[in-house]
Amino acid sequence: MVDGKGKQDAVSAHDAGGKLAEGIMHIWRTQKSLVVLLFVIVILAFLSEHFFTVYNLINVARQTSIYAILAAGMTLVLTVGEIDLSVGSNAGFCGVIAAYLLKRSISLPLVILIVLGVGLFIGMINGVLTAKIGVPFFVATLATMSALTGASFLITGGYPISMLPRAWRVFGQGYMWGIPVPVILMIATFIVLQFIQGRTTFGRRIYAVGSNPRAAYLCGINTDRIRVAAYSLCGFLAALGGIVMSSRMDAGDPSAGSTFLMTLVAAPILGGTKLSGGEGTVFGTLIGALVLTIMNNGMSLMNLNIYWQDLARGLIVLGVAIPQIERRLRR
Amino acid sequence: MNDNGPTLLKVENLTKSFPGVIALNNVTFNLLKGEIHALVGENGAGKSTFIKIIGGVLQPDKGTILYDGNILSHLDPRRARSIGINIIHQESELAPTLSAAENIYMGREPTKECKWYVDIERMNEDAQEWLDKVGADFSSKVLVRDLTISQRRLLEIARAISMDTGLLILDEPTTAFTDQEVQRLFQIIRGLRNLGVTILYISHRLQEIFSIADRVTVFRDGHLISTKHIKETQEDELIRLMVGRELRAVVRDRSKPIKNTNSELVSVSKLTKEGAFNDVTFSVNKGEILGLTGLLGSGAGKIGQALFGLVEQDSGTISLNGVQVNLTSPAKAMYHEIAYIPADRKLDGLFMIKSITENISLASLEQLTKATVIDLQNERTEAKKYQTLLDIRAPSINQIVMNLSGGNQQKVLFARWLMKQAKVLILEEPTAGIDVGAKQEIYDLMSGLAQKGNSIILISSDLPEVLNVCDRIIVFRDGRIVYEIPGDEATQEIILHHSTGLCNPERKEERQ
């Protein structure tokens, strides 16, 4: 911003200096994960000759895509100050529904529409349960998580529905302009969500509700509706993730997604989203998700036991979360 | 002052300041063993700071406190309690899901030989004894959430005396009590005095003080003004001592003509809400600043909330420009160009971790958007405009509001509603905790808005503020309007007489 008026020149010069410092501080405060990401990449590039290959990097991006799409939705719910525990099982359920419908020879576009609608509807149920009825989010989404997992197993009889039509594979296994389709979907998701968060009234209101729900209400915001919308969008993205997941595995697996929760919370936290609500960006979440996959990838390349990955993830989340708590106390 | 008998608490030159205010200024105070001593004063006079220091909640800047002959320093609530100083706060500090006995013995439960094992039978029996001592009519096994407010108060007193209390401090203990409950509480307090407990009693209600206290001390603007024997003073004198407060801020300039006077903008008719307000009728003109005042819980605040759709009335109507409106939510009130600045700006008004810009623009986002996309450039320009207009002092408009001073935070809230172009402003305690300079700026702002034909409803318990800013003042007591007076005819005495419920101020004035 430049102030043209003469008498304000001194002010704006001071402003500019302040803004630069503020900008640097802002990057460090909000983009710590980006710094961590670069750090991890540099380390891994030294440790493994396989890391910096096009093949591996594309692989990393593809591995990230499902987590990242789901974590983007989770970020919205975290930003209003709540957690949706059911995202993973919602994705799994949507994958099962997709497989079930495909097996009954329903046309592919219709399947996509139905599945996205189902995901959205499940998200909306979570939102209505918490915002309108007042069930604590932990209880409500824990319940839907369990119910959805149960429903997935009932529909499939416990076995994955496999041998899906070839055309379905495009979402998880296809390429466009040499880039894996899931990666394109992931990038598209993040562009749209970042725009919603940063530029629209809805995005602004999500932050307001998460930052101070009572003040938001006193600003005339329908806080219930914002919460329901955040959960619904999260459910929609769970469905998108579920579609990619079933396509990638070429099956509707009832147990898919059930182990995602830790990653889906870890990625936003790493990316600067606060569990207390009101702060965080989906861009940060994308970086957070990349950090997590790259670390897993690096550990795989170095032939480390897979259980190290869980241990490392837990430690990383604590390492990011604890300094946040300290800052809160000092305030 | 008559200093007979041994001294329990001796306070010398106690001073405590907060940013922008000196809450206690060189206070020297003497409390005799076994007396019931009342503290009175307006809101912000320093009473609660004083008891918080004695109870170890706050640390004084300077001064000495002698309790039972020992100097107290670096006091904390735990230690204060251990030497026998117990405060019963206005807000109950009990755990609602635990029993009365568990609350009495919280943190010091009687145990069996094994220290890990609570002796529940003994705890219930011992607690019952304490409850009986204060004349409680409920069992020690009952859950606190099932008790009435006055029963909870008794439970807190029982807990205090079970801790071997020498000094019991009661802060407005009779809020929400019936007359009968007040009388019973007084019996209990007298009983405690006979057991040797010294009592410091804070109340707004002067009648109560005359029926219970032995001596009374008046606070005003952080100074201890006077200590009197209750038999040697009268209500008039106490009120005069309480209100001798000078106003440093400049009086509102009423000389300029106000546009559109005598055209009603808001009118409220027979508004009733069970337990909050009763049969309230008044109106506000364009260009008028109307003051609603009263003691804590008088209903003035609730009326303000009802006008912003936060409290739904049981009966009665609200009209704007003569048209009846149904205000069921803040969004509806905002649609009718009503704005509200809550008493607690941090808790209810601001988004502390968000920027000045975002805090100002949030209520007006529709004005700044094209097809739900926010025009960020326009948002900045508009926010800047109001920052300059209200002189919100911050290094940048991107500064998060947490880092602003109280006065600047309040200006951010004003900017929010100016951007929204509200016509009716409801302000609840708008200058609480704000320094004198910023107060003056806010008064000027209010005057300017009224000049432009807006209506302002000021809900405040700060009497000098109400007297100096308002064109008209309405006094509330127990949810009802009890008095109405033009601003330039009102005095603090008249308003206090009506808000405390002491009758016939005119007659008393004649006597003076």
Side-chain angles (χ1 to χ4, degrees):
Chain A
M1 178 228 29
V2 183
D3 257 325
K5 290 171 187 131
K7 67 172 178 181
Q8 286 183 353
D9 274 353
V11 179
S12 59
H14 177 263
D15 232 32
K19 275 189 66 168
L20 186 68
E22 201 180 296
I24 292 169
M25 278 310 291
H26 185 75
I27 288 174
W28 173 238
R29 248 189 293 122
T30 56
Q31 309 302 343
K32 265 189 203 119
S33 53
L34 200 56
V35 182
V36 174
L37 176 66
L38 294 173
F39 182 73
V40 172
I41 288 175
V42 170
I43 299 268
L44 285 178
F46 275 109
L47 287 179
S48 168
E49 59 198 284
H50 303 294
F51 180 75
F52 245 126
T53 57
V54 173
Y55 173 79
N56 188 48
L57 290 180
I58 285 183
N59 195 22
V60 163
R62 190 166 43 206
Q63 280 175 3
T64 311
S65 59
I66 295 171
Y67 288 123
I69 290 170
L70 299 182
M74 180 70 104
T75 308
L76 296 178
V77 177
L78 288 172
T79 316
V80 293
E82 305 191 352
I83 297 179
D84 183 351
L85 302 173
S86 71
V87 180
S89 45
N90 189 358
F93 179 73
C94 286
V96 165
I97 293 286
Y100 181 86
L101 294 174
L102 289 165
K103 277 295 192 188
R104 269 146 198 79
S105 309
I106 295 174
S107 79
L108 204 134
L110 192 58
V111 170
I112 291 173
L113 275 181
I114 293 173
V115 169
L116 290 176
V118 166
L120 183 87
F121 182 70
I122 291 166
M124 199 188 287
I125 290 176
N126 280 328
V128 169
L129 282 175
T130 55
K132 300 270 188 200
I133 300 176
V135 184
F137 64 83
F138 198 88
V139 177
T141 61
L142 192 65
T144 42
M145 175 176 98
S146 171
L148 289 171
T149 309
S152 296
F153 276 95
L154 283 174
I155 290 170
T156 59
Y159 299 102
I161 304 174
S162 53
M163 309 281 284
L164 302 180
R166 281 193 75 83
W168 189 252
R169 290 187 194 164
V170 68
F171 305 110
Q173 304 177 26
Y175 284 83
M176 242 170 118
W177 315 300
I179 304 168
V181 173
V183 175
I184 291 174
L185 286 172
M186 170 179 82
I187 291 170
T189 300
F190 277 87
I191 289 174
V192 171
L193 280 197
Q194 187 64 53
F195 184 79
I196 290 177
Q197 265 198 329
R199 295 298 303 274
T200 66
T201 50
F202 171 57
R204 202 57 83 72
R205 284 171 185 164
I206 286 182
Y207 283 120
V209 172
S211 164
N212 187 345
R214 177 143 177 93
Y217 182 66
L218 291 180
C219 277
I221 294 173
N222 187 335
T223 51
D224 289 353
R225 196 183 293 164
I226 297 293
R227 284 204 184 93
V228 173
Y231 273 105
S232 303
L233 205 44
C234 180
F236 177 86
L237 290 169
L240 183 61
I243 288 172
V244 175
M245 197 159 65
S246 65
S247 163
R248 183 137 183 75
M249 297 190 301
D250 209 1
D253 182 351
S255 60
S258 55
T259 57
F260 284 10
L261 185 59
M262 182 61 193
T263 311
L264 299 186
V265 176
I269 290 180
L270 264 177
T273 298
K274 303 279 186 290
L275 286 179
S276 48
E279 267 182 287
T281 61
V282 287
F283 176 71
T285 298
L286 176 60
I287 305 294
L290 280 171
V291 170
L292 290 173
T293 357
I294 288 175
M295 288 209 354
N296 285 0
N297 177 256
M299 287 192 268
S300 303
L301 290 177
M302 286 184 286
N303 292 320
L304 279 174
N305 184 324
I306 191 164
Y307 299 117
W308 281 106
Q309 297 174 8
D310 287 327
L311 182 66
R313 200 157 44 208
L315 293 179
I316 288 172
V317 169
L318 279 181
V320 177
I322 288 172
Q324 275 184 20
I325 295 163
E326 281 183 350
R327 245 182 69 188
R328 195 152 268 281
L329 285 179
R330 260 184 265 134
R331 279 173 190 166
Chain B
M1 211 200 305
N2 201 345
D3 288 296
N4 292 328
T7 299
L8 180 69
L9 178 78
K10 198 177 173 68
V11 171
E12 276 173 348
N13 304 323
L14 202 65
T15 297
K16 172 79 185 174
S17 51
F18 297 109
V21 234
I22 299 176
L24 277 185
N25 201 340
N26 233 4
V27 167
T28 298
F29 175 79
N30 222 351
L31 187 64
L32 303 180
K33 220 168 232 177
E35 74 170 330
I36 299 177
H37 195 120
L39 296 185
V40 297
E42 278 189 79
N43 288 348
K47 296 166 302 193
S48 42
T49 309
F50 183 69
I51 62 163
K52 277 182 185 159
I53 290 174
I54 294 172
V57 181
L58 292 173
Q59 298 299 320
D61 298 340
K62 66 178 211 254
T64 53
I65 304 170
L66 273 152
Y67 182 79
D68 232 355
N70 303 314
I71 290 185
L72 299 184
S73 60
H74 302 294
L75 199 62
D76 59 56
R78 208 186 154 85
R79 211 163 81 78
R81 203 167 271 185
S82 74
I83 59 171
I85 300 175
N86 242 302
I87 304 185
I88 293 178
H89 293 279
Q90 222 168 327
E91 303 292 329
S92 152
E93 289 180 335
L94 296 167
T97 54
L98 299 183
S99 74
E102 284 166 325
N103 269 282
I104 288 178
Y105 286 104
M106 194 182 291
R108 50 192 187 104
E109 296 84 357
T111 54
K112 299 197 168 165
E113 291 94 87
C114 168
K115 290 273 183 193
W116 298 89
Y117 192 58
V118 177
D119 189 342
I120 294 171
E121 290 78 26
R122 207 175 91 209
M123 183 168 78
N124 286 338
E125 281 164 25
D126 291 357
Q128 195 62 54
E129 267 179 44
W130 291 114
L131 288 173
D132 292 344
K133 239 172 233 178
V134 299
D137 58 354
F138 52 90
S139 149
S140 66
K141 293 174 196 163
V142 77
L143 295 187
V144 166
R145 66 164 175 235
D146 297 328
L147 297 177
T148 67
I149 291 175
S150 71
Q151 287 174 324
R152 290 180 195 200
R153 202 63 85 191
L154 287 183
L155 172 57
E156 285 181 292
I157 292 173
R159 176 166 71 178
I161 60 169
S162 76
M163 291 185 214
D164 205 10
T165 292
L167 170 58
L168 182 63
I169 302 174
L170 296 159
D171 189 359
E172 301 270 358
T174 58
T175 310
F177 270 37
T178 64
D179 287 345
Q180 237 177 340
E181 289 168 338
V182 171
Q183 289 315 316
R184 218 177 63 180
L185 179 71
F186 284 178
Q187 276 175 17
I188 291 157
I189 291 177
R190 289 192 194 99
L192 290 178
R193 176 182 54 187
N194 298 338
L195 291 173
V197 179
T198 306
I199 285 151
L200 204 50
Y201 188 95
I202 295 174
S203 180
H204 273 115
R205 306 185 188 190
L206 295 185
Q207 287 153 314
E208 284 184 3
I209 284 163
F210 279 93
S211 66
I212 185 83
D214 299 317
R215 291 197 301 162
V216 54
T217 291
V218 181
F219 276 79
R220 185 175 79 216
D221 277 344
H223 294 270
L224 189 155
I225 300 301
S226 178
T227 297
K228 301 263 179 197
H229 269 277
I230 206 77
K231 292 190 185 105
E232 295 162 10
T233 185
Q234 281 162 357
E235 290 164 358
D236 295 11
E237 184 185 30
L238 288 186
I239 286 182
R240 218 168 31 244
L241 292 170
M242 279 160 70
V243 301
R245 180 171 165 203
E246 49 188 296
L247 189 79
R248 276 151 301 193
V250 178
V251 176
R252 176 181 168 216
D253 182 6
R254 290 202 186 81
S255 59
K256 291 181 201 158
I258 295 165
K259 271 196 275 178
N260 298 323
T261 32
N262 299 328
S263 79
E264 262 179 31
L265 188 51
V266 184
S267 74
V268 170
S269 173
K270 294 183 186 301
L271 214 59
T272 299
K273 165 86 185 174
E274 173 99 38
F277 43 77
N278 206 330
D279 197 24
V280 171
T281 300
F282 68 87
S283 62
V284 196
N285 293 331
K286 280 181 185 156
E288 185 181 37
I289 302 181
L290 173 70
L292 307 184
T293 190
L295 301 179
L296 213 72
S298 67
K302 287 280 182 214
I303 284 287
Q305 291 170 12
L307 283 169
F308 197 61
L310 290 168
V311 173
E312 210 172 334
Q313 71 263 29
D314 299 331
S315 64
T317 58
I318 299 170
S319 305
L320 285 163
N321 285 315
V323 182
Q324 193 179 322
V325 291
N326 194 10
L327 304 174
T328 49
S329 72
K332 288 232 173 85
M334 281 165 63
Y335 172 79
H336 292 292
E337 302 181 312
I338 301 173
Y340 171 70
I341 295 186
D344 192 330
R345 60 178 166 272
K346 288 182 181 166
L347 218 59
D348 300 336
L350 294 163
F351 305 93
M352 299 303 272
I353 51 173
K354 294 290 155 193
S355 70
I356 297 174
T357 312
E358 280 178 73
N359 269 281
I360 294 178
S361 68
L362 193 75
S364 321
L365 287 179
E366 275 86 5
Q367 292 162 223
L368 304 164
T369 52
K370 288 176 201 139
T372 80
V373 179
I374 302 169
D375 182 345
L376 296 180
Q377 192 67 42
N378 191 10
E379 184 191 21
R380 274 188 74 84
T381 319
E382 283 288 303
K384 270 255 163 205
K385 192 173 97 191
Y386 287 101
Q387 185 193 15
T388 316
L389 188 72
L390 300 186
D391 193 21
I392 297 168
R393 272 158 248 162
S396 149
I397 195 128
N398 297 324
Q399 182 85 44
I400 60 171
V401 296
M402 187 189 296
N403 299 336
L404 302 181
S405 72
N408 283 309
Q409 287 179 343
Q410 192 69 303
K411 287 187 206 166
V412 168
L413 285 181
F414 270 89
R416 178 186 293 166
W417 297 115
L418 291 189
M419 188 185 264
K420 182 76 187 161
Q421 318 239 308
K423 294 280 181 294
V424 181
L425 277 94
I426 302 161
L427 313 175
E428 209 178 335
E429 308 289 350
T431 62
I434 287 176
D435 67 76
V436 178
K439 261 188 187 178
Q440 184 59 51
E441 288 176 273
I442 283 170
Y443 295 150
D444 291 343
L445 187 65
M446 287 165 63
S447 285
L449 287 168
Q451 294 287 338
K452 289 197 189 100
N454 296 294
S455 297
I456 296 178
I457 298 173
L458 171 67
I459 298 156
S460 175
S461 55
D462 182 338
L463 286 186
E465 169 174 298
V466 172
L467 288 172
N468 284 285
V469 179
C470 297
D471 299 310
R472 197 155 48 95
I473 298 163
I474 291 177
V475 183
F476 280 78
R477 190 178 71 238
D478 297 333
R480 289 173 182 276
I481 292 181
V482 289
Y483 198 64
E484 181 175 335
I485 187 170
D488 42 13
E489 291 171 22
T491 65
Q492 297 191 47
E493 281 87 350
I494 294 176
I495 291 179
L496 262 185
H497 271 292
H498 285 285
S499 58
T500 53
L502 300 171
C503 307
N504 277 332
E506 290 82 8
R507 190 173 51 78
K508 281 178 180 161
E509 266 184 342
E510 278 161 27
R511 227 197 286 153
Q512 284 165 16

